[in-house]
Amino acid sequence: MMDNGFSSPRNDAFPAGLRVLVVDDDPTWLKILEKMLKKCSYEVTTCALARDALHLLRERKDGYDIVISDVNMPDMDGFKLLEHVGLEMDLPVIMMSVDGETSRVMKGVQHGACDYLLKPIRMKELRNIWQHVFRKKINEVRDIEILEGMETIQMTRNGLDLPDDGHLVCGEDLTSVKKRKDIEGKHDDKDPGDNSSTKKARVVWSVDLHQKFVKAVNQIGFDKVGPKKILDLMNVPWLTRENVASHLQKYRLYLSRLQREDTVSLDGIKHSDSPLRDSAGSFGTQNSINKQQLDVANRSYGFPGNSLLVQNTEPRSHDSERKGIVSKSAAEPKGALSFEVPDSRKPKSSQMEFGHSFISPGSEVNFAEFDSNFPTRFSWCEVPQTQLKQEPKPLHLDDGLSQLTLPGKQQRIQADYPQPAPPIISGSSVTERDIGSVKIKPLNDECRNNASLASSIGSTIETSHVQTKTHAASHQAFDPISINTSSMKNQTSYSSCISDLESTQKNINWGLSPFATLDDDLQVCWVQGDCYAMNLGLQNIEFPEYCDPGLIADAPTYLYDAVRFDYENLYDPTEYPLIEQGLFIA
Amino acid sequence: MLGLGADRLRADMNRLLALLFHQGVLDEQFLQLQQLQDESSPNFVSEVVNIYFHESEKLLRNLRGLLMDREFTDYKKMGIHLNQFMGSSSSIGAKRVRNVCVAFRAASEQNNRAGCLRALELLEHEYCYLKNKMHELFQLEQQRLLAAGVRYPMQN
C-alpha cells in the first residue's frame, strides 16, 4: 500500500503517472478504484483510514497530486479530511459518496472539494480527474504572481518613500495586478455562507489591503496567526474572516513555495558562505535592499517577501536586530530554512519566523536556479525533497515548538499530530511542520477537538464493534449458507437452498454461550433441530411484537422465504413495500 | 466434444447473466467490473465479488446483532452500516440488494423497528440469492476455462 521511495510523476506523458491517493473504508471500492485508476495509467496508493491517508500525505508532501476520498469514513469525517488536506497540503480533493443529496454535495464544495462523485463511479469519470490538478497548478501560479506583484509594488513604494495612495505604477503594474485579480475574482469570495447580501461583494486585495494584512501578520507573529486575529488588527470593517482566511491560505502557499525554492536551490550550492556575508552586510541599509529588490522584481520569483519582511521590521526593530538576523542567516547557510530563532528573541522572532525563510543566504546567489526550477516544478519534475527533509536539526524543532506560546491547546495539538505518525517529526522539515502547526489555528476548535477526540472516537468505534461482534458472533447464519452454496451444483431453484440449510443447520453448533445477554427462555428456542419446529409453528402466528428476538431466528427465515417467494417467477424489484410480504401481518 | 462443452458453458453463463440482469439482481456496474478484468488481473471479478461477500456478511451480522438487542436504540449506527452496505453493493452492481438497503434505511430513519426487522430479512434473502447466483456464475466460468484450456492441446 505504501510506496517506499519517492514517486515522482513522469513529466513526459501527463496526465499519465498522476499520483493519486485513494481513501475509502470500503475494500470493494478500494480495489475497484485502484484497478480503474491503473487502467488510466495513474499511479495509485490506497488507504482505508483517513488518518493513514493524512500520515501518508504529511510524510511525503508533494508525493501525491490528487486525493480521492469517500465522505463516510469510520475514523474521521470525510469533510474534515478534506479540510486538512486542503489547508496543509493544498492538494485537490475529490469526494465520493453513495449519497448524492444536494446538501451533501454542497457541503463538499463548501469544504473545498474540487469535485463530488457519486457511487457507482464509472471509469470515464476517473479519466478526467487530472484536470483538477492542472487547474489548481495554473491558479497557484497566478496567485503567486499576483501576490508577488502586490508585494513588489508595496516595497518599492516604501523604498521610494511614496505616499500611501495605492495608485503607484511601477514595474509590476498595479492595474495589471488588479486586472488579473478581477479575472481571478472567484478566489476571494470563497465563503458562501456569511454574507448577508444576496450579491456577494468580491474582495479585491489591493496593495494597501495586502500591506495591512502583512502588517497584521507580522504583528501577531506568523506562528500565532489566525484569520480572526488578523481581521481584528487590520480593522477593515467590510472585510470578513473568510476573506482573510482564504487570503492567508494563499499567502502561506506563496511563502512555502518560495521557501521550497530556496531550500532546493540551497542544497545545490555548496559555496554559499562568502557571498552571503557580503549580501548580509548590505542588508543593513535600506537603499541596498531596495536595489536588491528592484533587481529581484524583474525575475519571476522574487524575494519580495524577503524585502517585505525587512521593511516591516524596520519600524519595529533596531538595526541591531536586523544585524542579528543577518548574522544568523550568514551563520546558517544550509539550515536556514528552519525556523531557527532563539528564545530570547521571542517577540521579534515570530516575525522572523516567516521572514527567515527568505533571508536564506543561498537564495540570493541562486536566482538562476529559481528560474530554472520554476518551470520544472510545474512540469511535474519532482525536485528531490529528501534534503529538505533532512535539513532541520532537532534543535530547531524544539525552538519551533517553544515558540508556540499557547501552551495548553497548541502544544496538545502538536502532540496529537505527531503521535499517530512519529516519523513525521524527524522526517519532515520544520517549516512544513510549523506551517502545519500554524495552520492548526484556523481550524481552531474543531481541530482541537478533532485531534484529541480522534483517538477516542476511534477507540469507541472499536469497542462498539467488539460489542456487536460478541452479539453477532453467535449468529452463525451465514456460515451455513456458505457451506451450502459450495455444495450446490446446478440448482437454480431457491428451495433447494433451503433444504440444504436444513441439513447443515442440524449439524451446526449454534454456540449458545454468547447468548448470555438474551433471556433464558430464548435459549430453549435455539436447541438444534427444535428451533425448526418452533419456527415452523410460528409461521402461521401473527407476530404481535417484533422485539422478541427469539421469534425471529436466523437461518430459519429462509424457510419463510421459501413460502413467501416463488422464485421461479420473475421477481419484480419494485415490489418492495414490505407490508406485502404476506407473512408478516402488520 | 470438449470444445462444444466450453461453448455451451459460455452460453449457460450468458443466459444466467441475462436472467440476473432481467431480474434486476445485477446492473451495468457488473459489466464495468467485467471490463476491468484483463490479463494482468484475470480473476478480478471474482476477487472483488469475494471481498464484497466478506464485507457484506460482516455488515449483515452487525445489523442483525443490532436488531436482536432488546435495548436497541441506535438507529444512527444502523444507518451507518446500511450506508456502507449500499456503497459496497453499488460497487459490484448488486441492484436489488442496494434497493432493499434503501428501504431499510428509510425504516431506520423512522425508528421503525418492526420495519427494520422485515427489511433485514428481506435483505438477507436477497443477499443469499445473489451469492448463490454469483457462485453459480463463477463455477460455470471455471468449468468453461477448464474446457477451453483442455481443448487447445488436443488440437495440436
Side-chain angles (χ1 to χ4, degrees):
Chain A
M1 213 153 67
M2 279 194 204
D3 292 328
N4 286 326
F6 284 117
S7 62
S8 43
R10 306 196 300 264
N11 55 341
D12 53 342
F14 180 79
L18 195 70
R19 296 157 307 162
V20 186
L21 177 66
V22 184
V23 191
D24 197 334
D25 62 329
D26 183 344
T28 339
W29 269 115
L30 219 49
K31 191 168 168 91
I32 294 176
L33 288 170
E34 184 184 29
K35 183 73 186 172
M36 283 184 175
L37 290 165
K38 280 194 173 142
K39 281 220 157 179
C40 298
S41 314
Y42 296 154
E43 250 182 59
V44 190
T45 314
T46 58
C47 234
L49 287 173
R51 59 169 176 268
D52 287 347
L54 277 175
H55 171 85
L56 279 174
L57 287 165
R58 285 175 188 147
E59 197 181 274
R60 266 194 282 155
K61 304 230 166 165
D62 287 347
Y64 300 98
D65 298 310
I66 187 166
V67 178
I68 304 183
S69 171
D70 189 88
V71 166
N72 303 308
M73 297 291 290
D75 60 334
M76 189 191 295
D77 183 24
F79 296 117
K80 276 267 169 321
L81 175 64
L82 173 55
E83 271 176 10
H84 279 297
V85 174
L87 276 171
E88 289 183 40
M89 292 109 206
D90 198 39
L91 287 175
V93 182
I94 295 178
M95 303 302 293
M96 302 185 285
S97 180
V98 169
D99 182 4
E101 216 181 308
T102 311
S103 59
R104 298 284 280 178
V105 177
M106 201 180 289
K107 191 173 176 195
V109 176
Q110 273 176 358
H111 281 79
C114 55
D115 207 349
Y116 195 106
L117 300 178
L118 288 191
K119 289 179 171 176
I121 298 178
R122 300 276 179 267
M123 192 150 124
K124 58 179 185 261
E125 297 174 66
L126 291 178
R127 267 193 209 284
N128 278 338
I129 61 174
W130 62 266
Q131 61 176 290
H132 302 295
V133 183
F134 190 58
R135 191 183 302 125
K136 203 158 183 114
K137 287 289 175 196
I138 292 181
N139 289 341
E140 274 173 8
V141 174
R142 282 200 206 129
D143 285 348
I144 288 179
E145 286 173 5
I146 289 163
L147 277 168
E148 283 168 9
M150 285 196 279
E151 303 211 346
T152 312
I153 294 168
Q154 184 51 54
M155 59 75 189
T156 327
R157 181 205 290 166
N158 283 354
L160 301 176
D161 275 326
L162 284 173
D164 198 9
D165 62 0
H167 295 302
L168 177 68
V169 174
C170 154
E172 284 283 342
D173 197 291
L174 178 61
T175 53
S176 68
V177 172
K178 270 207 160 174
K179 211 182 285 177
R180 253 184 300 181
K181 248 323 188 172
D182 287 343
I183 296 167
E184 297 300 321
K186 66 178 169 72
H187 288 291
D188 290 315
D189 56 359
K190 256 189 198 159
D191 186 82
D194 235 359
N195 298 335
S196 48
S197 57
T198 48
K199 200 160 188 208
K200 281 175 282 207
R202 260 189 298 159
V203 175
V204 175
W205 280 86
S206 68
V207 181
D208 287 337
L209 201 56
H210 181 69
Q211 202 205 359
K212 281 205 180 103
F213 171 81
V214 179
K215 247 192 218 156
V217 170
N218 295 341
Q219 228 173 307
I220 300 168
F222 193 66
D223 56 330
K224 287 183 241 131
V225 81
K228 186 88 183 35
K229 283 191 185 167
I230 299 176
L231 185 63
D232 294 338
L233 266 180
M234 278 175 76
N235 197 21
V236 176
W238 51 269
L239 202 62
T240 69
R241 187 198 158 277
E242 284 71 25
N243 300 141
V244 175
S246 71
H247 193 74
L248 179 63
Q249 185 181 346
K250 267 183 257 166
Y251 193 58
R252 277 190 182 127
L253 181 71
Y254 163 67
L255 297 183
S256 68
R257 220 165 258 295
L258 288 182
Q259 218 169 59
R260 254 179 277 168
E261 258 63 34
D262 280 358
T263 346
V264 163
S265 45
L266 202 54
D267 296 328
I269 303 281
K270 306 290 176 193
H271 59 275
S272 35
D273 278 12
S274 37
L276 286 188
R277 299 234 167 81
D278 293 344
S279 60
S282 72
F283 270 48
T285 64
Q286 199 174 347
N287 293 334
S288 54
I289 289 166
N290 290 337
K291 185 161 84 76
Q292 245 177 339
Q293 300 322 317
L294 283 172
D295 193 45
V296 168
N298 295 332
R299 313 210 184 218
S300 52
Y301 264 103
F303 243 3
N306 195 1
S307 63
L308 185 62
L309 169 67
V310 178
Q311 297 296 341
N312 283 338
T313 58
E314 248 204 37
R316 294 189 200 87
S317 65
H318 333 289
D319 278 352
S320 57
E321 284 278 326
R322 217 181 303 141
K323 284 190 184 112
I325 299 158
V326 157
S327 56
K328 249 197 157 334
S329 59
E332 286 281 332
K334 296 232 170 43
L337 190 62
S338 54
F339 282 65
E340 183 220 351
V341 183
D343 298 66
S344 57
R345 294 184 180 288
K346 248 191 191 352
K348 309 292 188 287
S349 64
S350 48
Q351 301 168 29
M352 293 308 106
E353 291 253 321
F354 86 87
H356 197 68
S357 55
F358 302 109
I359 313 182
S360 50
S363 50
E364 198 209 356
V365 193
N366 297 325
F367 269 121
E369 269 72 16
F370 280 175
D371 287 338
S372 59
N373 280 338
F374 185 92
T376 53
R377 171 169 294 279
F378 291 97
S379 65
W380 300 100
C381 187
E382 202 58 38
V383 173
Q385 296 289 340
T386 43
Q387 294 129 335
L388 178 66
K389 294 192 180 353
Q390 288 155 14
E391 280 307 283
K393 305 168 185 94
L395 168 69
H396 306 319
L397 277 168
D398 296 336
D399 281 348
L401 273 176
S402 65
Q403 287 311 316
L404 302 171
T405 53
L406 301 172
K409 50 182 182 176
Q410 195 100 23
Q411 302 228 331
R412 182 147 58 93
I413 290 168
Q414 289 273 326
D416 281 341
Y417 268 64
Q419 256 165 26
I424 286 178
I425 297 175
S426 51
S428 62
S429 75
V430 181
T431 55
E432 286 158 356
R433 261 198 88 240
D434 277 2
I435 286 175
S437 63
V438 171
K439 286 192 166 130
I440 287 170
K441 285 295 308 268
L443 293 180
N444 232 349
D445 292 333
E446 321 171 286
C447 168
R448 197 162 10 118
N449 294 336
N450 199 39
S452 54
L453 288 177
S455 48
S456 61
I457 288 171
S459 56
T460 47
I461 287 177
E462 283 154 20
T463 51
S464 57
H465 272 190
V466 167
Q467 284 160 14
T468 53
K469 276 195 174 103
T470 51
H471 275 294
S474 55
H475 298 290
Q476 304 287 330
F478 299 96
D479 292 347
I481 291 178
S482 48
I483 293 167
N484 222 2
T485 53
S486 59
S487 64
M488 269 173 49
K489 294 294 173 199
N490 289 314
Q491 297 169 4
T492 50
S493 83
Y494 196 66
S495 50
S496 59
C497 172
I498 303 306
S499 54
D500 284 351
L501 261 171
E502 286 182 39
S503 51
T504 51
Q505 197 179 3
K506 290 198 165 94
N507 301 327
I508 285 174
N509 179 8
W510 288 91
L512 293 177
S513 42
F515 269 77
T517 52
L518 297 176
D519 292 345
D520 284 7
D521 56 333
L522 290 177
Q523 294 210 346
V524 173
C525 304
W526 287 95
V527 173
Q528 296 170 22
D530 288 350
C531 55
Y532 250 32
M534 222 10 220
N535 290 318
L536 279 170
L538 287 172
Q539 233 177 339
N540 302 319
I541 295 172
E542 185 171 0
F543 291 170
E545 337 170 298
Y546 289 110
C547 9
D548 190 349
L551 292 177
I552 301 166
D554 275 344
T557 57
Y558 297 99
L559 269 182
Y560 306 142
D561 294 344
V563 172
R564 264 193 278 165
F565 303 119
D566 178 2
Y567 238 85
E568 294 312 311
N569 296 336
L570 291 176
Y571 187 88
D572 187 345
T574 59
E575 281 177 9
Y576 276 131
L578 297 169
I579 202 115
E580 289 174 28
Q581 296 312 326
L583 191 63
F584 298 105
I585 307 147
Chain B
M1 225 20 227
L2 285 164
L4 278 177
D7 292 336
R8 201 169 13 155
L9 285 164
R10 184 197 294 276
D12 286 344
M13 272 180 70
N14 288 339
R15 215 174 320 124
L16 176 56
L17 271 175
L19 175 68
L20 291 173
F21 272 91
H22 189 73
Q23 289 178 329
V25 173
L26 288 177
D27 65 19
E28 66 142 345
Q29 177 69 15
F30 191 76
L31 291 176
Q32 286 262 314
L33 283 191
Q34 289 186 313
Q35 282 165 14
L36 286 174
Q37 186 159 299
D38 57 16
E39 303 82 35
S40 65
S41 51
N43 300 315
F44 182 71
V45 181
S46 64
E47 283 166 12
V48 172
V49 173
N50 282 328
I51 297 174
Y52 169 70
F53 287 155
H54 186 73
E55 286 303 301
S56 305
E57 280 157 31
K58 244 196 300 185
L59 285 167
L60 281 168
R61 275 198 291 271
N62 288 343
L63 284 168
R64 185 155 278 284
L66 282 175
L67 278 172
M68 283 304 165
D69 182 359
R70 279 206 161 157
E71 284 98 33
F72 168 70
T73 47
D74 196 352
Y75 285 97
K76 187 155 175 264
K77 187 168 197 161
M78 196 181 291
I80 294 174
H81 285 315
L82 282 171
N83 275 334
Q84 286 175 307
F85 207 158
M86 276 172 68
S88 51
S89 301
S90 70
S91 77
I92 67 159
K95 191 162 80 163
R96 277 228 299 249
V97 171
R98 186 192 164 153
N99 288 345
V100 179
C101 284
V102 172
F104 195 154
R105 189 170 63 172
S108 89
E109 277 162 10
Q110 292 156 16
N111 290 9
N112 176 359
R113 182 139 182 232
C116 285
L117 279 165
R118 286 194 294 254
L120 177 61
E121 296 190 18
L122 188 55
L123 188 59
E124 286 166 343
H125 160 78
E126 286 295 341
Y127 172 77
C128 186
Y129 182 68
L130 174 70
K131 185 165 178 177
N132 292 341
K133 292 300 159 197
M134 287 288 105
H135 275 299
E136 219 179 292
L137 197 67
F138 294 142
Q139 273 164 359
L140 285 172
E141 170 73 12
Q142 271 182 330
Q143 287 168 16
R144 188 187 66 83
L145 284 172
L146 276 172
V150 174
R151 178 178 51 174
Y152 292 121
M154 287 196 62
Q155 282 179 343
N156 293 342

